[in-house]
Each structure stands twice: as C-alpha cells, then as structure tokens.
Amino acid sequence: MARFIHPDLKDVPLESMLHALSDPSRLAIVRCLNRNLADGGAGLACNAAVTEELPRATMSNHFTLLRGAGLIESRKKGVSVINRLRRDEVDARFPGLLDAVLGATGQGL
Amino acid sequence: MARFIHPDLKDVPLESMLHALSDPSRLAIVRCLNRNLADGGAGLACNAAVTEELPRATMSNHFTLLRGAGLIESRKKGVSVINRLRRDEVDARFPGLLDAVLGATGQGL
DNA sequence: TCCAATAGTTCAAGATATCCGAACAACGGA
DNA sequence: TCCGTTGTTCGGATATCTTGAACTATTGGA
C-alpha cells in the first residue's frame, strides 16, 4: 500500500481545486473536516467524515482526489486513515476560496 | 434552434457553479468576459471570448454549460451570440466566489 | 499465536460524461 | 439568391466516474 501523496499547494492549479470541490459528496467531506478543524479536532477517519452512505471504493476515490488537489492531509492511524483539512495552506494559495465555498448557502446545506 | 435557457441563480447549486469553473477553457472564457465587463463592454461573441484555438462544437458545449450554471447570459445578435458574465447575480448568490476564482494567480495566468 | 473483524485500497468492468468532426441552421452582405 | 460567417446539433470515439469483489494492513480477542 503506497504512502499518501500530498502535493505542495503551489503546484495545484485552481482548476484542480475547483474540480475537487465540485462534487456533492466531496464537498460534504470538506465541510465535515472544516467543522472538525474549527472544533479543535485532530482530524477524522474517512468513514467518519462521510455523512451519506457511500460504497467504500467510491469513498476511497473521493479521498484520493481530495488529497491530490491539496485539500486534505491523510495519515494512517491504526486501521484507520485520519484526514485533516489543509485550511491554512489552501487559504494562502487561494485566498477567500474556501470562505466562499464553505460559506455558501442553499441547495442542500 | 432553441432559445437560450438562463436559470435563476437561486436554483443553481454551488457544485454546478464550481464544476463549470473547473475547466481551463471555461475559466479562461469567464476571465475574458469579466475583463470585458470591467471595461464597460457590452459582451463578447463566443469566438471573441475564447483565447485558445478550440473546435467549434467544443466551444459551443462550453458556452452551453456556462449558461446552465448561471454564469453567463447569451443573446443572439445577427450571426453571433453575445455573452455577458452575470457578475452581480453570481456575487449575490455566492459572495466572494468569483473574487476568489478570478483573483487567483499562478499555474497559467 | 491464530483467527475474525474493521478500515481502506486496488482492480476491472459497466455507466456517464466530454470531445470533436461533419452536417446543419440562421443571418448578413453582395 | 448565393455565399461566407457564426454557432448548434448529431453521433461516435475517448476519457472519467462509479462500484462490486478481492485484497492488504492492523487491531483485538480466544
């Protein structure tokens, strides 16, 4: 099982980040991780960050994509993978983007 | 040839808008239309809003998608279609989003 | 130590979406 | 009316996404 790859945010194009955020399931995960971060949490396991019922393979793909877009950092902890939103780094790379996305209302949240 | 469909912004989910913006060609179009708007322009024909060389069918698809996401308004003018960024409405619906997206730097612009 | 349970990953195939050439429609000008 | 221009539509090729099944890694208990 390969180690997780976490890109430097400066190498992440805006398009990749927007694409990662443009899926309802992934957006829900990001919202969830953002709440956890705001609450001083240490991150969430994949299954704990997913609200809806989702096939495991699909969930795994979503997390891989979020990692690839620089949105989350993942580390193995026992049998789980703990995920953390890279809030500060994303904010530094794309100022205001996460604020706008996470602050948006209507249409399911 | 069917008339253009312009959704009410309140019916546009954030995911659709992010998806529309997550493509390099479409993002370039939006940037172009934003400049035109800032310069007091009356909008741009499809081919004038596209920087790179792009097949016509592909270009048409991109504009249809941008319209469907509520990002642009299109009207027929002679043989052309004039497109305008729906800046104010998008800003009202998703405050700060376009600022963040259009203000982003690095990685090709 | 061995076995079962849990959390995710990987693979591969089917479902979806995107891309783009070719044919077409709409309009303006000569 | 005929032609050139702009963009749309259609359909097939290509790429991406989804997900069941098999697998890996780790923990806890017998």
Side-chain angles (χ1 to χ4, degrees), chain B residues 45-47 56-57 60 79 81:
Chain B
C46 294
N47 65 8
R56 290 168 158 226
S60 185
V79 81
V81 173

Side-chain angles (χ1 to χ4, degrees), chain A residues 69-81:
Chain A
L71 271 162
I72 66 172
E73 184 243 23
S74 309
R75 63 182 186 285
K76 203 122 207 277
K77 172 97 178 280
V79 81
S80 304
V81 172

Side-chain angles (χ1 to χ4, degrees), chain A residues 18 96-101 104, chain B residues 14 17-18 21 71 87 90-91 93-103:
Chain A
L18 293 174
L97 181 60
L98 278 185
D99 279 339
V101 168
Chain B
L14 175 60
M17 175 115 344
L18 293 173
L21 293 167
L71 272 161
R87 190 71 152 104
V90 176
D91 283 349
R93 174 73 175 91
F94 300 117
L97 182 60
L98 278 185
D99 279 338
V101 168
L102 297 172

Side-chain angles (χ1 to χ4, degrees), chain B residues 15-37:
Chain B
E15 292 87 340
S16 302
M17 175 115 344
L18 293 173
H19 178 246
L21 293 167
S22 72
D23 175 90
S25 302
R26 289 194 294 266
L27 195 47
I29 291 169
V30 170
R31 285 191 210 278
C32 204
L33 292 179
N34 186 57
R35 266 193 303 277
N36 176 261
L37 196 65

Side-chain angles (χ1 to χ4, degrees), chain B residues 1-77:
Chain B
M1 222 171 257
R3 193 89 266 110
F4 299 129
I5 294 164
H6 297 105
D8 191 322
L9 261 291
K10 75 175 191 305
D11 297 327
V12 174
L14 175 60
E15 292 87 340
S16 302
M17 175 115 344
L18 293 173
H19 178 246
L21 293 167
S22 72
D23 175 90
S25 302
R26 289 194 294 266
L27 195 47
I29 291 169
V30 170
R31 285 191 210 278
C32 204
L33 292 179
N34 186 57
R35 266 193 303 277
N36 176 261
L37 196 65
D39 296 349
L44 291 172
C46 294
N47 65 8
V50 171
T51 52
E52 52 190 327
E53 201 56 47
L54 214 56
R56 290 168 158 226
T58 304
M59 181 191 77
S60 185
N61 277 341
H62 283 324
F63 277 92
T64 301
L65 204 149
L66 288 169
R67 255 195 309 278
L71 272 161
I72 66 172
E73 185 242 24
S74 310
R75 63 183 185 283
K76 203 121 209 281
K77 173 97 178 279

Side-chain angles (χ1 to χ4, degrees), chain A residues 7-39:
Chain A
D8 191 323
L9 261 291
K10 74 174 192 305
D11 298 327
V12 174
L14 175 61
E15 292 87 340
S16 302
M17 175 109 353
L18 293 174
H19 177 247
L21 292 168
S22 72
D23 175 90
S25 302
R26 289 195 294 266
L27 195 47
I29 291 169
V30 170
R31 285 193 210 277
C32 204
L33 292 178
N34 186 57
R35 267 194 302 279
N36 177 260
L37 196 65
D39 296 349

